[in-house]
Amino acid sequence: MKTVSFTSIALPALALGVLGFVNANSPSEYLEFATDLGLSETDIDFFVSSFGGLSGKNVQQSCHTLKWLFPDNTYLPEAIDTYQAKVSINWSARAWLNGPCIFSPDTTHKTAVGVKVATFFGSQFAIRSGGHTPDPGSASTSTGILFSLENLNKIDLDTTKNILSIGPGGRWGNIYENLEARGFAAVGGRVSSVGVGGLLTGGGLSYFSGTEGFGADNVKSYEVVLANGCVVNASAKENPDLWWALKGGGNNFGIVTRFDINAIPKPGGLIWGGILTFLPSQIPDVLNAIAKFQAEGQVTDPKAAIIASLIQARVAGVEASFLTLFHQDPSDKAPASLQHFIDIGPVQNTVGNRTVSSLAAELYPAMPPLRQLFRVLTIKVSPTLYKFAADLFDQTYTSPDVLSAGAIGTFNFQPISIGMIDVSKTTGGHPLGISREPQVWLSLNSAWPSEKDDDLLISIARNFLNEVEKKAVEMGLNDDFMYLNDAASDQKIMEGYGKANLERLRTVAKEFDPDQVFQKQVPGGFKLY
């Protein structure tokens, strides 16, 4: 584990300790901690004499300890190029925060030691798998250790049991490509760059959800590092309450270092899908077609899926609607459940037989880094409400303030069927508390170039969806559930799961994290209190 002398790293940290900034642990506690880390007698003596008995708190102690223990996995700000490359892994430039250090473990053991270090010194930390959450502080930190999990990216497929074992730092595009070559698919992200960990601990809406449920419904087992550094498995037979809680409970219980999920046999690796492009004048027809799909096609053909995206990007000369169509089975013609979308007459059409990975790449191609936000709202089925929301989106994202900021707005309609929701009844349940009725998860994404416009555009996004929610309440079409993976950091996600589920999540957290490390030392994400 250790490759350099402790003194070469610890002495700078000791200088901080003399100023009174180290966690207030007694010498005996330092001795116990150092012994638990497996240090040599010489290093234990130096560790205790350097740090034992000093008072206060400083995350620098954690960072220097990690740098000494794992020099190839720990990045300090003075290593400017490598450090900044790690910082900018986050998809949204708003989340590019410069903290005291970044720790990128490549094994479960190193992750566990890292958690022990952070817990012992009382340091704040953040957890990042793919970094697709756009808000600062959710998967980034300016004050603590960033556990950056991109090196935990193994892909192991057991073709005898149809089980896929994947690390939290994997990206779905890479996973799909790996599986396609072997005739399999998985219930994962719809965009290539999305990471495994965040998606599966947030619920995980997928192209395959119509028949397979959400991504979390397909997790057979989790390997989890708890706050005390212990590594446990959570499944239907082992720690079943933790298994249930992780299926949508976010980062409140530990760091998941491996997911064992269902692998879907897919001989040939092909599906049917693509993107239709419509003019603004065709949007009312698209909205009516969404409601028709929810009433008919999504019910009779659960292998079909859509994402409808309204785009306002006048700064780039784009004002249109993009409709992503998907069907699990390849076909020489459009499935009957999706034909009515094509009948509207798109101005561009890329549908056909292809791989899931190619569709995931087309849905969100690589772009220059921008400042991003998400915001989410759940409503019930109503073409009238859909039109109200679409008209207000058009009005809001063509306003002078939005245009002067050079902002792009994308407003997504994601239909959810009763069939998707019911899958969890046969897979052990989950904490999401989704109402058993057809609905749409509205997801707003806005992107812009300049930090000076952050407050303005965040306020515009909040006000826009607040107005849609008011209309939904007026029409009796509102719903408390909000999809974690598309949410803004100020939205009350856990409360939307329902009182009983929230109380059960809190009970599980008390059992597996009695000192509330993941509530207090991990301030980012959606907390239970």
Side-chain angles (χ1 to χ4, degrees), residues 63 188 193 246 257 290 344 353 402 422 430 444:
C63 289
S193 59
L246 288 167
T257 51
I290 294 172
I344 297 172
N353 294 332
V402 170
D422 282 350
H430 54 56
L444 176 68

Side-chain angles (χ1 to χ4, degrees), residues 461-488:
R462 183 184 298 115
N463 292 339
F464 161 61
L465 275 189
N466 283 349
E467 288 301 310
V468 176
E469 184 177 24
K470 287 180 183 178
K471 186 66 173 179
V473 170
E474 177 187 310
M475 297 176 69
L477 299 170
N478 60 301
D479 194 285
D480 290 337
F481 173 79
M482 291 178 284
Y483 177 44
L484 185 154
N485 294 131
D486 288 343

Side-chain angles (χ1 to χ4, degrees), residues 335-509:
S337 57
L338 299 171
Q339 180 62 48
H340 65 291
F341 291 110
I342 295 175
D343 291 341
I344 297 172
V347 295
Q348 188 173 352
N349 181 341
T350 70
V351 297
N353 294 332
R354 61 197 302 173
T355 60
V356 176
S357 62
S358 72
L359 181 59
E362 183 183 6
L363 183 60
Y364 205 101
M367 296 177 61
L370 292 169
R371 308 182 72 77
Q372 307 269 357
L373 66 75
F374 280 158
R375 202 162 189 90
V376 70
L377 177 68
T378 297
I379 61 173
K380 298 170 187 176
V381 180
S382 168
T384 302
L385 183 55
Y386 297 171
K387 186 175 187 305
F388 172 86
D391 289 346
L392 184 60
F393 170 74
D394 181 72
Q395 174 187 333
T396 301
Y397 282 87
T398 57
S399 67
D401 282 342
V402 170
L403 295 178
S404 66
I408 299 169
T410 304
F411 190 32
N412 302 300
F413 291 70
Q414 303 174 113
I416 306 300
S417 68
I418 293 175
M420 292 181 184
I421 299 164
D422 282 350
V423 170
S424 70
K425 294 179 180 179
T426 62
T427 59
H430 54 56
L432 304 181
I434 306 169
S435 301
R436 192 179 179 274
E437 57 187 315
Q439 56 199 266
V440 166
W441 295 352
L442 298 175
S443 171
L444 176 68
N445 171 218
S446 182
W448 62 96
S450 177
E451 182 178 359
K452 69 179 177 62
D453 296 313
D454 283 7
D455 291 344
L456 170 68
L457 290 164
I458 291 169
S459 177
I460 287 172
R462 183 184 298 115
N463 292 339
F464 161 61
L465 275 189
N466 283 349
E467 288 301 310
V468 176
E469 184 177 24
K470 287 180 183 178
K471 186 66 173 179
V473 170
E474 177 187 310
M475 297 176 69
L477 299 170
N478 60 301
D479 194 285
D480 290 337
F481 173 79
M482 291 178 284
Y483 177 44
L484 185 154
N485 294 131
D486 288 343
S489 58
D490 66 307
Q491 295 189 284
K492 303 298 183 183
I493 300 305
M494 297 299 158
E495 289 80 357
Y497 288 2
K499 184 176 180 180
N501 284 344
L502 178 55
E503 286 304 312
R504 186 178 174 189
L505 286 169
R506 288 171 174 171
T507 298
V508 176

Side-chain angles (χ1 to χ4, degrees), residues 57 85 139 179 312 329 372 417-418 498:
K57 291 185 179 180
L179 292 177
Q312 278 294 352
D329 298 332
Q372 307 269 357
S417 68
I418 293 175

Side-chain angles (χ1 to χ4, degrees), residues 106-109 111 129 149 151-157 163-170 196-197 200-201 218-225 231-235 238 242-243 246 254-261:
D106 52 11
T107 67
T108 298
H109 169 72
T111 307
S129 76
L149 308 181
N151 293 328
L152 295 173
N153 58 10
K154 289 185 178 179
I155 304 173
D156 293 319
L157 177 64
I163 294 295
L164 173 67
S165 297
I166 46 179
V196 168
L200 292 182
T201 57
N218 286 265
V219 181
K220 307 295 285 186
S221 177
Y222 302 86
E223 180 184 76
V224 193
V225 176
V231 179
V232 301
N233 291 313
S235 67
E238 189 176 2
L242 181 59
W243 177 61
L246 288 167
I255 298 180
V256 180
T257 51
R258 192 190 72 242
F259 299 82
D260 296 336
I261 70 173

Side-chain angles (χ1 to χ4, degrees), residues 78-94:
E78 49 263 37
I80 297 174
D81 291 342
T82 53
Y83 177 84
Q84 288 301 323
K86 292 286 183 181
V87 168
S88 61
I89 286 175
N90 290 77
W91 168 62
S92 167
R94 288 178 61 222

